[in-house]
Amino acid sequence: MAMETPHELMVADLAASQLQKLPSNYIRPLSERPDLSQVLHDYDTNSSHNNIPLIDLQNLCGPDRPNIVKQIGEACLNYGFFQVKNHGISDTVVNNMLRVGREFFELPQSERLKNYSEDPSKTTRLSTSFNIKTEKVANWRDFLRLHCYPLQDFIHEWPTNPPSFRDVVAEYCKNVRGLALKIIEGISESLGLERNYIEKQLGKHGQHMAINYYPPCPQPELTYGLPGHTDPNLITILLQDDVPGLQVLKNGTWIALNPLPKTFIVNIGDQMQVLSNNMYKSVLHRAIVNSSKERISIPTFYCPSSDALVGPAKKLVDGEDKPPAVFRNFTYQEYYDKFWNRGLATQTCLDMFMLPSSSSSNSSN
């Protein structure tokens, strides 16, 4: 991609200029475009297996816990994606987060660009697409990336405009971390591990988030907000507004997950696939755009700390009746570096960490 200044790269500013045609650097080759006519919807009654599970967490800490843990395990095993309701995060916290995210991207260009950086090691940064230094085709997305655990280590870097940004986002981050830990415990139990096993494998823990902004696109059938990819982290908890855009690959078919009020979407990341020794698969998903409405999505990425050693849970591979380990041990930093440098074009890099004895007989997706 030719060198350009940040204001020329930002999608929000391109969209504000009332473009009639998509700039050529956003146009996908014909074979890589989203064929939207082939996409099913999660409420499509013609194919019942398309429905992504909706799990009620109301009594997760009560007598119904075994049943809810079982539902979580089945969703991880069969889908890699599920939705949760009665999750314990108030409407106020959720609505404030969506509001302040939108307000940030409505700021004047000069104010937004105070946070701009192309350095992926920066723990607070505004950027666009995915990795503009390596990708050949850009994605119709701007994003503000924030590290948010431990909160006190990063909050001083966050934007101060909108004025309520730090307070609102901090409250949201604390709430989502609590939800993430509850879900991780449920997943751990569903694998037959101790409730806190996975939590203890995460080192000092890491939590990042992105506020993704997808403005209206003049030719949405030619590009993506984000192409098909798996997430490199442990689990992702997604908050989205009421504009559809997320699609998940299931049995070779893309399924549109239309937003449900008062729910979060949870998906398995690559580290969970490793910890579960390939039982729970990290699933390809993508974001499409549309010509009429902007879309905000806010994924929280819960992950090991960079120095944490990740590998299959010993209890899942030790013993005569257990399958052999599929993946080698590695640090999360090593994994994330390979993920970032490889980019989204190749969709997943789990195969780079498979042990030789399993790479020929196991598929990473």
Side-chain angles (χ1 to χ4, degrees):
M1 191 183 293
M3 288 300 293
E4 295 165 293
T5 56
H7 70 272
E8 291 173 320
L9 286 169
M10 302 307 290
V11 173
D13 302 310
L14 283 174
S17 68
Q18 305 290 309
L19 288 175
Q20 299 302 306
K21 287 190 171 181
L22 196 64
S24 60
N25 60 312
Y26 290 90
I27 297 175
R28 295 265 158 192
L30 195 57
S31 62
E32 296 177 16
R33 294 175 190 171
D35 185 353
L36 301 180
S37 66
Q38 299 297 311
V39 174
L40 298 176
H41 290 262
D42 61 336
Y43 52 74
D44 190 332
T45 54
N46 295 325
S47 189
S48 60
H49 70 271
N50 291 333
N51 294 300
I52 302 300
L54 174 61
I55 300 175
D56 188 340
L57 300 182
Q58 179 79 51
N59 295 309
L60 182 60
C61 296
D64 202 31
R65 183 178 182 86
N67 179 45
I68 298 171
V69 165
K70 183 184 177 197
Q71 290 178 50
I72 290 172
E74 288 174 348
C76 292
L77 184 65
N78 296 318
Y79 292 88
F81 264 79
F82 55 95
Q83 301 163 94
V84 294
K85 66 179 182 178
N86 293 322
H87 40 68
I89 301 180
S90 74
D91 292 352
T92 300
V93 169
V94 166
N95 294 337
N96 283 345
M97 184 66 238
L98 287 168
R99 172 185 56 77
V100 85
R102 184 169 278 106
E103 286 175 355
F104 175 83
F105 283 101
E106 289 172 349
L107 290 170
Q109 181 191 90
S110 58
E111 191 65 26
R112 276 180 283 122
L113 289 180
K114 289 177 181 177
N115 304 280
Y116 185 85
S117 174
E118 294 176 14
D119 178 1
S121 69
K122 285 202 70 170
T123 48
T124 298
R125 72 185 187 108
L126 174 73
S127 193
T128 189
S129 191
F130 177 71
N131 183 346
I132 60 175
K133 292 184 176 179
T134 61
E135 62 201 7
K136 294 183 175 64
V137 182
N139 304 301
W140 196 255
R141 171 188 84 137
D142 293 338
F143 64 92
L144 179 65
R145 182 90 181 201
L146 307 170
H147 284 228
C148 38
Y149 184 79
L151 202 54
Q152 67 271 16
D153 290 358
F154 303 109
I155 192 170
H156 64 279
E157 303 173 353
W158 294 356
T160 53
N161 195 3
S164 63
F165 187 92
R166 289 183 179 179
D167 287 343
V168 165
V169 177
E171 185 66 18
Y172 179 78
C173 289
K174 286 185 282 189
N175 275 265
V176 174
R177 179 170 184 264
L179 176 59
L181 291 173
K182 285 196 293 189
I183 291 172
I184 289 166
E185 285 184 350
I187 293 173
S188 196
E189 283 184 70
S190 76
L191 287 164
L193 304 170
E194 295 79 12
R195 183 184 292 197
N196 64 352
Y197 176 85
I198 293 176
E199 182 185 337
K200 285 161 55 179
Q201 304 310 304
L202 306 181
K204 295 184 288 289
H205 291 224
Q207 182 182 341
H208 315 155
M209 67 186 295
I211 305 174
N212 293 323
Y213 180 70
Y214 305 99
C217 176
Q219 294 174 293
E221 69 282 359
L222 302 182
T223 193
Y224 287 105
L226 278 174
H229 65 283
T230 63
D231 290 346
N233 48 290
L234 185 75
I235 64 167
T236 301
I237 297 180
L238 177 71
L239 169 65
Q240 51 184 342
D241 63 13
D242 58 356
V243 180
L246 176 64
Q247 298 182 348
V248 177
L249 192 66
K250 171 71 172 163
N251 297 335
T253 300
W254 288 101
I255 303 168
L257 289 190
N258 288 10
L260 286 177
K262 300 180 186 290
T263 67
F264 287 95
I265 290 175
V266 180
N267 67 276
I268 296 302
D270 293 348
Q271 306 313 302
M272 191 67 81
Q273 183 164 340
V274 172
L275 278 159
S276 72
N277 199 38
N278 226 28
M279 279 180 61
Y280 293 168
K281 302 290 201 300
S282 182
V283 176
L284 286 171
H285 53 285
R286 66 187 188 183
I288 61 155
V289 291
N290 69 81
S291 59
S292 58
K293 287 185 176 181
E294 66 181 13
R295 175 174 178 254
I296 298 276
S297 78
I298 304 174
T300 291
F301 308 105
Y302 210 84
C303 51
S305 51
S306 59
D307 59 349
L309 193 65
V310 181
K314 286 184 166 51
K315 190 173 178 181
L316 300 180
V317 297
D318 284 354
E320 291 182 8
D321 59 338
K322 301 292 196 309
V326 174
F327 302 98
R328 68 173 174 86
N329 292 345
F330 52 84
T331 64
Y332 184 58
Q333 185 67 57
E334 181 190 358
Y335 192 91
Y336 195 85
D337 288 347
K338 283 188 166 59
F339 169 84
W340 175 255
N341 292 327
R342 206 177 192 200
L344 298 184
T346 46
Q347 301 172 334
T348 182
C349 60
L350 271 171
D351 54 326
M352 300 172 75
F353 294 85
M354 281 187 159
L355 292 167
S357 58
S358 60
S359 59
S360 59
S361 58
N362 285 280
S363 169
S364 62
N365 265 290

